Amino acid sequence: MGQLKEVSCLNGHTDRVWNVSWNPTGTTLATCGGDKTVRLWGQEGDSWVCKTILQDNHQRTVRSTAWSPCGNLLATVSFDATVGIWDRRSGEFECNATLEGHENEVKSVAWAPSGKLLATCGRDKTVWIWEISEEDEFECASVLHAHTQDVKKVLWHPNLPILMSCSYDDTIKIHKEDGDDWTSFQTLESHTSTVWSIDFDSTGERMVSCSDDMTVKIWQAYQPGNKEGIQTTGKDATWKNLCTLSGYHSRTIYDVSWCKLTGLIATAGGDDKLCVFEEEVDSTGPTFVLSTAITRAHNEDVNSVEWNPKVTGLLASSSDSGDVKIWQYSV
Amino acid sequence: MASPSAISATPAAPDINEIFDNILLGEDRSQQVGYSEGYQQGLAQGYRDGFTAGKKQGIIIGKKVGYIHGFAISYLTLFETISFDDEKDRSKHRRKIKALCDLIEMVDNFPLSDLQYDSFFEDLEKIRAKYKQVCSLLNVSCTIDDDEEPSYAF
C-alpha cells in the first residue's frame, strides 16, 4: 500500500480548472479553465507559485493545454473554437499563432513526439492534424471525421506515428498516415459510455482508458506474429482489452495518467476521488490493484490528473472547485 | 334432401340468414371498408410527404456537393494559372493543390443520385472533412452551414 500526501494547494483560478499539464522537464505546471486563462506554476523554495498568467487570447473556457516536446511551445485549446500557440523563445510567452477550423468547442490537443505534428479534436466530431513547417507555420494535414460524436481527447503514441482519439461515441479510434492523408484503421469498443481520457505506459505497448461507465480499462498491443495468436492486419498491432478495473469510482472517471517512471496509474473522477493503482504480476498474468485513494481530494469533481515526468511520485490534479493540488506518492 | 349448392343457385330468393348476417355484421363491414380506404389514402399521403421531405434533403445535399465541387475547381484553375517564381514557391502550394485535386476526385466519384449506396452519408462526411481541410489550407472561411441540433458541451 502506498499513500498520497498533499504537498501544495494552488489557488488563483477563479472558475473550474479543466486541465493540468507538466512541461517535459517537470519544472512548470500549466493549468487552464473556465476563467479563460492559463496559469504557469513553478517551485520557489518549498512552495509552488504562479509565475505567469496567459490571458486575453481566448474568448471562452480554455479546455486543455499541451507542451511541445522541446518545451518551448505551449498549445492551448478553447471552447471559442480556436487553438493558440504560445512561444517562449523570445524570453516571455507570446501567442504567435491562432489555428482556426474547428466549428465549435475544441477539447484536447497533443504534440507528436517529433514536435512536427499537432492534433486537436472537439465537439464537431472531428480530429485535425496540423503539420509544422520549417518556417514554424501550421498547415492542416488532415481532418478526420471518424467518430460519430464529440471527441474528448487525442494522444500520440510515444514511438509510433499513430494517433489515438476517444469519444462520446464510447469508442477509441486509431489513426495513421496513408499517402497524403490520414485514415482511421482501428476502433476499440468495450466501454459502455463516453471514453474521457487515455494514456500510454512508458513502452507504448499498453494503454489505459477511463470512462463515464466508471471503469478503467487496460489495453495491450499485439504485434504481428504474436504468440497469443491474436489476428493482426498488415504491419499494425491489434489492440485488445487486457483487463478492466471497476468498483473504485462511483461517478464518471474524467482523467487517467500512467506514470512513465513508476508504472503507477492515477485516476480522477466526478466523485471527488483520486485513485492510484499498481501492477502485480502473478501466475495468471498482470493485475492492477488499488495502492491508495483520496476520497475527498478537492471537495468537487476532479477533472484532470497528471504524473510529473521527471520527479518520481509527484502528481498534479485540478477540480471544479478552482483549486489545483500537488501530491506526493510514497510507499 | 336438397344440397347446399342447389339453394345458393337461386339468386332470386336471397337467403334470409345472409340478410340477417349483413345487418348484424354491417358495422364490421363498413369498418373494414373504411380501414382499407384510409390505408390507401395514408399510403398515398405518406408517399407524397416522403417525396417532399426527401426532395428538400436532396436539394440541400445537392447544393452543398455542387458548391464544394465548383469551389474546388475554381481554386484549382486559379492555381494552374499562377506562374510560380521558383520551385520553392511552388512546393509551398503543393499541399493545397493536392488537397484540391483529392476533393474534386472525391466529389466526382460520389454517387450523388444513388440512394441505395450504402456509405452515402459516410462518404458525404468525408467530403465535408476534406473541404474543411482545403478551407483551412487556403485560409478561407468554411461557409457551409450546419443544421445540427444543439448539444451540451463539456
Side-chain angles (χ1 to χ4, degrees):
Chain A
M1 289 294 272
Q3 61 167 350
L4 270 183
K5 211 178 128 214
E6 187 179 325
V7 173
S8 189
C9 180
L10 317 181
N11 298 303
H13 280 290
T14 55
D15 201 326
R16 63 182 62 182
V17 185
W18 275 112
N19 194 252
V20 292
S21 171
W22 290 103
N23 70 339
T25 53
T27 54
T28 306
L29 181 72
T31 61
C32 60
D35 63 7
K36 305 170 201 164
T37 71
V38 175
R39 283 172 179 260
L40 303 178
W41 310 81
Q43 209 170 4
E44 267 180 18
D46 278 344
S47 54
W48 289 83
V49 294
C50 181
K51 300 259 177 123
T52 310
I53 301 175
L54 311 179
Q55 56 191 348
D56 302 328
N57 186 55
H58 288 297
Q59 309 303 311
R60 290 182 62 198
T61 290
V62 183
R63 177 64 180 83
S64 188
T65 63
W67 295 91
S68 63
C70 66
N72 285 323
L73 303 172
L74 182 71
T76 58
V77 295
S78 164
F79 285 180
D80 69 8
T82 68
V83 180
I85 306 293
W86 301 75
D87 190 336
R88 73 160 164 207
R89 278 173 289 193
S90 67
E92 273 182 41
F93 273 99
E94 277 175 68
C95 184
N96 65 4
T98 301
L99 312 182
E100 291 173 11
H102 278 287
E103 275 169 29
N104 41 46
E105 288 87 339
V106 194
K107 300 291 178 72
S108 173
V109 56
W111 294 87
S114 66
K116 293 286 172 208
L117 294 168
L118 186 79
T120 58
C121 65
R123 209 191 101 192
D124 62 7
K125 306 169 193 168
T126 59
V127 171
W128 288 58
I129 294 171
W130 307 83
E131 208 171 280
I132 301 131
S133 70
E134 278 163 28
E135 296 88 34
D136 278 345
E137 275 176 33
F138 288 76
E139 244 188 0
C140 175
S142 185
V143 178
L144 289 154
H145 201 290
H147 286 288
T148 57
Q149 294 291 342
D150 191 0
V151 189
K152 296 296 187 189
K153 184 154 175 162
V154 279
L155 182 70
W156 292 92
H157 190 277
N159 38 47
L160 293 172
I162 59 171
L163 178 76
M164 309 298 222
S165 60
C166 61
S167 161
Y168 185 61
D169 68 9
D170 308 350
T171 69
I172 301 165
K173 284 184 186 275
I174 314 178
H175 321 274
K176 68 173 176 182
E177 197 169 14
D178 177 20
D180 266 327
D181 209 340
W182 286 70
T183 170
S184 310
F185 68 98
Q186 212 176 115
T187 302
L188 312 187
E189 289 169 316
S190 184
H191 281 294
T192 55
S193 190
T194 305
V195 187
W196 276 91
S197 185
I198 43 180
D199 200 9
F200 285 104
D201 73 345
S202 58
T203 65
E205 289 295 306
R206 284 190 192 167
M207 180 174 68
V208 62
S209 60
C210 64
S211 162
D212 182 53
D213 67 13
M214 300 185 283
T215 70
V216 172
K217 286 179 187 282
I218 313 284
W219 305 80
Q220 170 84 41
Y222 291 92
Q223 301 301 337
N226 63 82
K227 60 178 188 291
E228 290 84 357
I230 306 280
Q231 206 178 347
T232 56
T233 313
K235 287 178 185 164
D236 301 314
T238 297
W239 289 81
K240 289 255 178 214
N241 185 203
L242 191 66
C243 62
T244 302
L245 314 178
S246 57
Y248 297 102
H249 283 279
S250 58
R251 297 273 297 272
T252 305
I253 309 173
Y254 288 121
D255 202 10
V256 62
S257 177
W258 200 329
C259 183
K260 312 295 180 278
L261 305 172
T262 60
L264 294 164
I265 294 173
T267 57
D271 54 3
D272 191 17
K273 198 169 168 189
L274 280 175
C275 291
V276 176
F277 299 92
E278 61 184 334
E279 187 176 354
E280 270 182 7
V281 181
D282 60 22
S283 55
T284 60
T287 51
F288 288 81
V289 295
L290 187 70
S291 171
T292 186
I294 299 280
T295 45
R296 248 169 278 151
H298 282 274
N299 296 320
E300 276 185 63
D301 293 24
V302 191
N303 295 317
S304 175
V305 65
E306 193 174 283
W307 292 103
N308 186 297
K310 296 289 177 203
V311 185
T312 305
L314 200 65
L315 186 72
S317 66
S318 74
S319 164
D320 274 3
S321 64
D323 325 318
V324 174
K325 284 187 179 177
I326 310 234
W327 310 82
Q328 179 65 51
Y329 174 87
S330 58
V331 183
Chain B
M1 202 177 87
S3 71
S5 60
I7 294 169
S8 60
T10 48
D15 179 18
I16 190 72
N17 289 325
E18 204 173 294
I19 292 169
F20 278 127
D21 277 0
N22 281 347
I23 293 166
L24 213 64
L25 301 173
E27 198 179 332
D28 276 2
R29 276 168 56 104
S30 40
Q31 226 174 43
Q32 233 165 47
V33 171
Y35 172 81
S36 69
E37 271 176 16
Y39 184 81
Q40 290 307 325
Q41 271 179 27
L43 268 184
Q45 183 65 36
Y47 181 80
R48 277 196 299 275
D49 288 353
F51 183 82
T52 314
K55 197 166 123 188
K56 259 187 195 165
Q57 272 309 110
I59 288 170
I60 294 171
I61 293 170
K63 258 170 127 175
K64 276 186 184 177
V65 174
Y67 173 82
I68 290 174
H69 196 235
F71 170 93
I73 285 181
S74 312
Y75 265 97
L76 189 65
T77 312
L78 212 60
F79 275 110
E80 278 166 351
T81 54
I82 294 173
S83 55
F84 295 107
D85 290 345
D86 53 43
E87 268 315 299
K88 203 182 161 217
D89 212 27
R90 180 188 294 277
S91 73
K92 254 176 85 174
H93 296 292
R94 191 200 63 89
R95 190 190 288 275
K96 293 174 198 167
I97 294 166
K98 179 75 176 70
L100 281 166
C101 291
D102 286 350
L103 181 57
I104 293 166
E105 196 187 326
M106 284 164 89
V107 175
D108 283 343
N109 293 334
F110 183 59
L112 193 57
S113 53
D114 181 4
L115 295 174
Q116 309 303 318
Y117 179 57
D118 278 345
S119 35
F120 188 91
F121 288 99
E122 210 175 291
D123 282 13
L124 193 62
E125 285 304 339
K126 281 187 185 152
I127 289 173
R128 274 171 45 87
K130 185 52 89 176
Y131 171 68
K132 283 185 192 173
Q133 184 201 357
V134 166
C135 285
S136 172
L137 288 170
L138 297 173
N139 206 10
V140 296
S141 71
C142 216
T143 45
I144 290 186
D145 293 322
D146 254 323
D147 324 300
E148 281 182 322
E149 75 285 4
S151 67
Y152 290 106
F154 292 104

